[in-house]
Amino acid sequence: MAPHSADFYRKAPPDRGASSFIHPPTPANIAFFAEALKAGCLVAIPTETVYGLAGLALRESACRSIFEVKGRPLVDPLIVHVASPDWVARLAEIPDEFKRLTEAFWPGPLTLILRKKPVVPDLVTAGHETVAVRMPRQPVAHALLEKLGQPVAAPSANPFGYVSPTRPEHVAESFGPQVPFILDGGPCEIGIESTILDLSRPGTPSILRPGAITEENLKLKLHLHPNLDLNPNRNHAPPAPGTLPRHYSPATQLLLFPFKSSPVAAPREAVVYLQRPSPPVSRDTYWLSEDGNPVTIAQSLFALLRQLDHAGHPRIHCECPPPHSTGLLLAVRDRLNRAAAQ
Ligand code: TXA
Ligand code: MG
């Protein structure tokens, strides 16, 4: 059956209404989603970080559809998602640090860049010699991968460059009937994308994208001392779109203001603080957490940016975590800087 064919849609789960492409993660629906993937369709899946737009990683036509639907340039490689570390040996060369890292952090929000094997289509890796792999810990994603029995490529399920999706409705609002199969895993536990750790150059692990597995976690648990290489495009190939200067951006102009300060905002411009400000606050004031907890800030960041982007504010001002932030706040600062870049 051809991907996106009418026949396929006629077999869609019965709960799919005209306006709802979001399906509960029942065993029957998980089995249906696995069949949809095998037939070459794209489906949206929950992960603990953000929702992904998934297709069979080892089928070139499915991967091509991912680029087309997202409007993503072919030079930007995809992350391959697996149900077990054992699946990786088929896809990539296994470096020394792999076992320790996966025992400590998989399943979880850590993507590893490894030297690829020929079975991985060049389209997935944008022609580079390395492949990105990760094992999500979101139970619905895990169940789907197990049922499917093979890896899926899944970038974040948003149009290229736009704010990442952390709820199933975000995927539906971005893609509508283009992506009618969205598996509902509820709001994402973490809310920002996985940490990307490049292990492809022996002896020099580098963090290319900060996330919930932090430099401090890697140092404390494994005595691994990675470089922090947040602008890798300047230094070496391949490019990573999550590391492009402008990414994750709302359509509304986003301006950042320094930590613990207040912006000069015109009437109706939205003002977003990291923590609930003390009263009085104006009607257009928002906050990402009650108490400044980085976990809550990361969880709410993309959802609030999307909400405000649809609310008709002329501009959005957002407080930025301080320079030299560590841990999750470093990741939040990284996303905000790119979202606000012109
Ligand atoms: O949390 C996540 O990683 C989410 C969920 C869905 O798993 N996925 C995600 O995918 O963020 P995406 O495509 O939005 O971002 C993938 C990042 C991109 O910046 C891409 O360039 C980088 O991973 N990447 C993929 N393969 C790479 C490679 N071989 N070398 C360097 N960077 C790579
Ligand atoms: Mg993305």
Side-chain angles (χ1 to χ4, degrees):
M1 214 178 306
H4 296 111
S5 74
D7 260 6
F8 209 95
Y9 292 160
R10 271 196 283 280
K11 291 190 178 172
D15 58 302
R16 183 168 70 86
S19 62
S20 174
F21 304 123
I22 300 168
H23 306 284
T26 59
N29 283 349
I30 287 173
F32 177 88
F33 273 64
E35 288 309 311
L37 283 163
K38 283 184 197 159
C41 287
L42 303 187
V43 302
I45 59 168
T47 82
E48 71 276 23
T49 56
V50 300
Y51 274 72
L53 182 63
L56 289 186
L58 302 184
R59 192 174 305 167
E60 197 167 300
S61 56
C63 296
R64 194 170 294 282
S65 303
I66 294 177
F67 285 97
E68 284 168 6
V69 169
K70 268 189 69 100
R72 178 173 175 124
L74 290 173
V75 294
D76 291 339
L78 305 174
I79 295 178
V80 176
H81 295 62
V82 296
S84 150
D86 298 341
W87 289 17
V88 179
R90 187 177 168 209
L91 307 170
E93 305 297 336
I94 304 295
D96 293 345
E97 307 92 327
F98 182 81
K99 191 162 186 292
R100 282 193 310 145
L101 277 163
T102 54
E103 280 176 4
F105 299 112
W106 277 17
L110 178 68
T111 294
L112 300 175
I113 307 284
L114 308 173
R115 301 203 68 79
K116 89 176 190 83
K117 288 189 173 169
V119 68
V120 181
D122 286 341
L123 200 61
V124 170
T125 64
H128 294 288
E129 292 304 308
T130 55
V131 60
V133 285
R134 98 172 186 91
M135 177 182 173
R137 73 168 174 233
Q138 211 286 350
V140 175
H142 188 74
L144 177 62
L145 283 164
E146 289 247 279
K147 184 82 193 166
L148 180 66
Q150 52 177 313
V152 299
S156 51
N158 52 293
F160 180 71
Y162 191 61
V163 183
S164 299
T166 57
R167 292 162 193 242
E169 305 81 50
H170 295 162
V171 184
E173 90 198 2
S174 286
F175 292 114
Q178 261 194 306
V179 182
F181 302 132
I182 304 167
L183 201 48
D184 188 355
C188 295
E189 174 202 341
I190 293 171
I192 55 175
E193 300 81 354
S194 59
T195 304
I196 299 183
L197 182 66
D198 185 356
L199 296 179
S200 67
R201 288 168 299 154
T204 50
S206 302
I207 294 178
L208 305 185
R209 181 173 71 182
I213 304 298
T214 64
E215 189 184 358
E216 297 75 23
N217 295 149
L218 294 166
K219 278 184 187 154
L220 277 175
K221 252 194 148 160
L222 298 185
H223 307 291
L224 194 71
H225 293 268
N227 302 319
L228 205 55
D229 190 5
L230 302 189
N231 293 299
N233 301 330
R234 282 208 307 257
N235 307 330
H236 58 82
T243 63
L244 288 176
R246 181 172 165 82
H247 209 69
Y248 316 110
S249 307
T252 313
Q253 189 184 8
L254 175 68
L255 299 166
L256 305 183
F257 61 92
F259 189 58
K260 300 275 183 213
S261 71
S262 286
V264 181
R268 296 195 52 252
E269 291 185 350
V271 177
V272 180
Y273 292 96
L274 297 177
Q275 168 171 358
R276 179 197 270 270
S278 26
V281 293
S282 84
R283 203 168 60 94
D284 295 317
T285 301
Y286 303 84
W287 47 93
L288 288 162
S289 72
E290 288 296 317
D291 52 5
N293 182 347
V295 172
T296 321
I297 292 172
Q299 275 167 350
S300 16
L301 177 70
F302 289 143
L304 185 61
L305 286 181
R306 278 179 175 255
Q307 179 192 322
L308 297 180
D309 204 18
H310 298 144
H313 299 286
R315 298 200 294 186
I316 304 167
H317 301 262
C318 185
E319 182 180 3
C320 193
H324 313 299
S325 291
T326 56
L328 256 183
L329 284 183
L330 170 72
V332 169
R333 186 179 154 84
D334 169 75
R335 302 307 189 278
L336 276 173
N337 275 322
R338 295 179 203 282
Q342 293 305 311

